[in-house]
Amino acid sequence: MAEIILFHHAQGLTEGITEFADSLRAAGHDVTVPDMYEGHTFDTLEDGLEYADRVGFGTVIKRGQDAVEDAPGEVVYVGFSLGVMPAQALAQTRAGALGAVFFHSCVPPTEFADEWPAGVPVQVHAMEEDELFVEEGDLDAARELVKVAGAELFLYDGEDHLFADSSLEEYDEEAATLALERVLAFLAAVDAR
């Protein structure tokens, strides 16, 4: 089974993120979830982003990266929204990445390295009408990742940003269940390589 490092979104390490990690554990995977917010959680995305801005986005991302210093080399990185930044950075720059899964966000494949590393599969999950994903360039970045890395891009019906977090109002059970099934199939394929 896979060793997974899962990075939370801008509202912090919520119960929904913990539940998602537990779903992966129930399938036999070893999952580590660094708390980049040092125990803080927020009721709204805006409040969480304000905290990250106050602390410094670079500091938050570095906390995530520092938390995996002692992790084994062969890892699958999973990121939710803000957590995509450290997940993508590590998948592209840390030796031994076995794969990456990005929820609700994606940055250009040249953001952290000249190119996506050969042989590292990636999935991107988002809602097709999510303003943050579509209008802030994440959809374009995901489509570029499809071209250069053969990424799987899954767009779900709806407009909610953090649709896969069961502890938030915008949770979409149908989309989140399908996304989890796709992630588990992805992890099984990674394990089989």
Side-chain angles (χ1 to χ4, degrees):
M1 291 296 154
E3 178 78 29
I4 299 166
I5 309 291
L6 191 156
F7 297 97
H8 64 75
H9 52 67
Q11 287 179 243
L13 182 48
T14 61
E15 288 180 21
I17 292 295
T18 300
E19 286 176 17
F20 190 89
D22 287 343
S23 295
L24 299 178
R25 289 182 186 111
H29 302 290
D30 186 15
V31 184
T32 301
V33 187
D35 187 350
M36 301 181 295
Y37 275 16
E38 299 181 330
H40 299 283
T41 58
F42 299 91
D43 292 333
T44 67
L45 183 60
E46 293 75 20
D47 289 345
L49 289 171
E50 183 179 299
Y51 170 80
D53 189 42
R54 188 171 62 250
V55 171
F57 284 96
T59 298
V60 170
I61 292 165
K62 185 168 181 349
R63 285 177 185 167
Q65 292 173 316
D66 289 350
V68 301
E69 280 184 6
D70 296 328
E74 295 188 334
V75 173
V76 175
Y77 297 100
V78 178
F80 280 71
S81 195
L82 175 68
V84 167
M85 296 293 283
Q88 189 165 338
L90 289 162
Q92 289 192 254
T93 62
R94 190 170 187 250
L98 295 178
V101 178
F102 306 144
F103 276 88
H104 326 295
S105 183
C106 188
V107 296
T110 56
E111 182 75 20
F112 303 107
D114 291 338
E115 60 188 9
W116 188 260
V120 178
V122 59
Q123 282 188 340
V124 181
H125 301 264
M127 287 202 152
E128 62 187 357
E129 295 178 37
D130 170 6
E131 280 186 26
L132 292 173
F133 187 77
V134 174
E135 295 180 13
E136 294 192 8
D138 299 66
L139 178 57
D140 293 335
R143 286 181 172 149
E144 182 64 21
L145 200 52
V146 168
K147 288 180 190 173
V148 302
E152 294 179 288
L153 172 59
F154 298 107
L155 297 175
Y156 302 85
D157 290 336
E159 61 184 26
D160 294 315
H161 185 58
L162 300 175
F163 74 89
D165 183 324
S166 63
S167 65
L168 302 179
E169 283 185 28
E170 57 195 313
Y171 176 65
D172 183 309
E173 183 176 4
E174 183 178 346
T177 299
L178 179 56
L180 177 60
E181 289 172 6
R182 288 170 167 165
V183 170
L184 291 173
F186 174 85
L187 294 171
V190 166
D191 280 344
R193 293 187 329 176

